[in-house]
Every structure is written in C-alpha cells, then in structure tokens.
Amino acid sequence: MRPEYQTQIHANCSKKIEAIVRKAPKTKDPEAENEPLTPCPYCKNKLPETKVMCDKCKSTIPFCIATGRHLLKEDFTVCLQYEFPKIATEFLRIIQSEEVCPMCTEHVDPNMASSSIGIHSFLDAQDTNVKKV
C-alpha cells in the first residue's frame, strides 16, 4: 500500500486490504483461462472477473472486498461501517452464513446490508480521489 494512502485506511482494515491486493502467481492456471467474463462498470467491455484494469477504457476498476473480483454495475453495495465496495449478492451470501463483514468483522444484519448508493456515485468519487493524487 502506498504510504500516502495508509493514513486514510482504518487500522482494522489495512492488513486485510494488503492481503487482498497481493499479486497473483505468474504460472499458467487452466482454471484462470476459463474465468467468467463480466462487464467493466465504466464501458461495459467484457473482461475476466478478477481483472481490475480494463483494456478498452484503461480504467482501474475497484474490487469487491468480499470476493476480490471487480465490481459489477448491476450488483453493487457498500459496507455500511466503512463504505468499502462489494458485490451485493456475494456479500449477502457471506453474511447470511457468518453475520459479520469479511473486511471489518462488524456484525451485519442481512436485512440492512443493502445500500442506496449507486455505483456511478461511487465510481465518480473514486475518479475524483485518483485525480487528486
């Protein structure tokens, strides 16, 4: 994690973020070659679901804290405690079995897990933060 961002991340979450963002191994994995394609939330170009850089629009796509896959425009929510992005259906599946956020380990009521924030608001905020750096 870049030093300029370390002060912006809550101490409870920084180790988990660092664990998620580790680089994938460079070996050829047959399972990775068959990875499902999902649309870029910026330009709708299809790309592997774990890829966080779109080849077409050159945007860096935020990733889900629950799965590590890039965000989907039609299936988006944020953590109510820290506003981390998530794929809504995957997050609901996790909290229905564990009842805690996989990132901040706070108790989450499955009925309160959805958020009213649209992905465009989130992506616009991300773009603004990137331009400030």
Side-chain angles (χ1 to χ4, degrees):
M1 185 181 312
R2 290 183 179 171
E4 63 266 22
Y5 297 126
Q6 288 178 347
T7 59
Q8 297 174 6
I9 304 298
H10 193 275
N12 291 346
C13 303
S14 65
K15 294 286 184 199
K16 290 186 180 187
I17 291 173
E18 290 169 357
I20 291 171
V21 191
R22 289 188 184 130
K23 292 186 178 181
K26 304 255 184 215
T27 61
K28 286 281 186 180
D29 183 4
E31 188 175 305
E33 291 176 14
N34 297 328
E35 184 175 352
L37 300 178
T38 55
C40 167
Y42 291 98
C43 70
K44 299 180 183 165
N45 180 46
K46 296 278 188 180
L47 61 153
E49 63 184 0
T50 56
K51 195 167 182 182
V52 293
M53 177 65 92
C54 179
D55 295 328
K56 184 177 179 186
C57 68
K58 305 298 184 204
S59 295
T60 301
I61 307 168
F63 60 91
C64 171
I65 59 133
T67 64
R69 297 181 291 191
H70 69 253
L71 296 179
L72 302 172
K73 183 178 178 180
E74 66 282 347
D75 193 13
F76 173 76
T77 190
V78 294
C79 173
L80 297 174
Q81 182 73 19
Y82 296 105
E83 296 187 1
F84 289 118
K86 302 177 284 231
I87 297 173
T89 53
E90 293 295 327
F91 182 67
L92 283 172
R93 184 183 55 77
I94 291 169
I95 63 169
Q96 284 173 344
S97 64
E98 300 175 18
E99 295 186 0
V100 295
C101 175
M103 189 67 175
C104 64
T105 65
E106 295 288 328
H107 175 74
V108 179
D109 179 0
N111 299 322
M112 301 296 290
S114 63
S115 174
S116 61
I117 186 171
I119 193 166
H120 292 294
S121 302
F122 184 80
L123 294 175
D124 291 344
Q126 294 299 304
D127 289 342
T128 303
N129 289 337
V130 168
K131 289 176 184 172
K132 286 181 182 178
V133 174

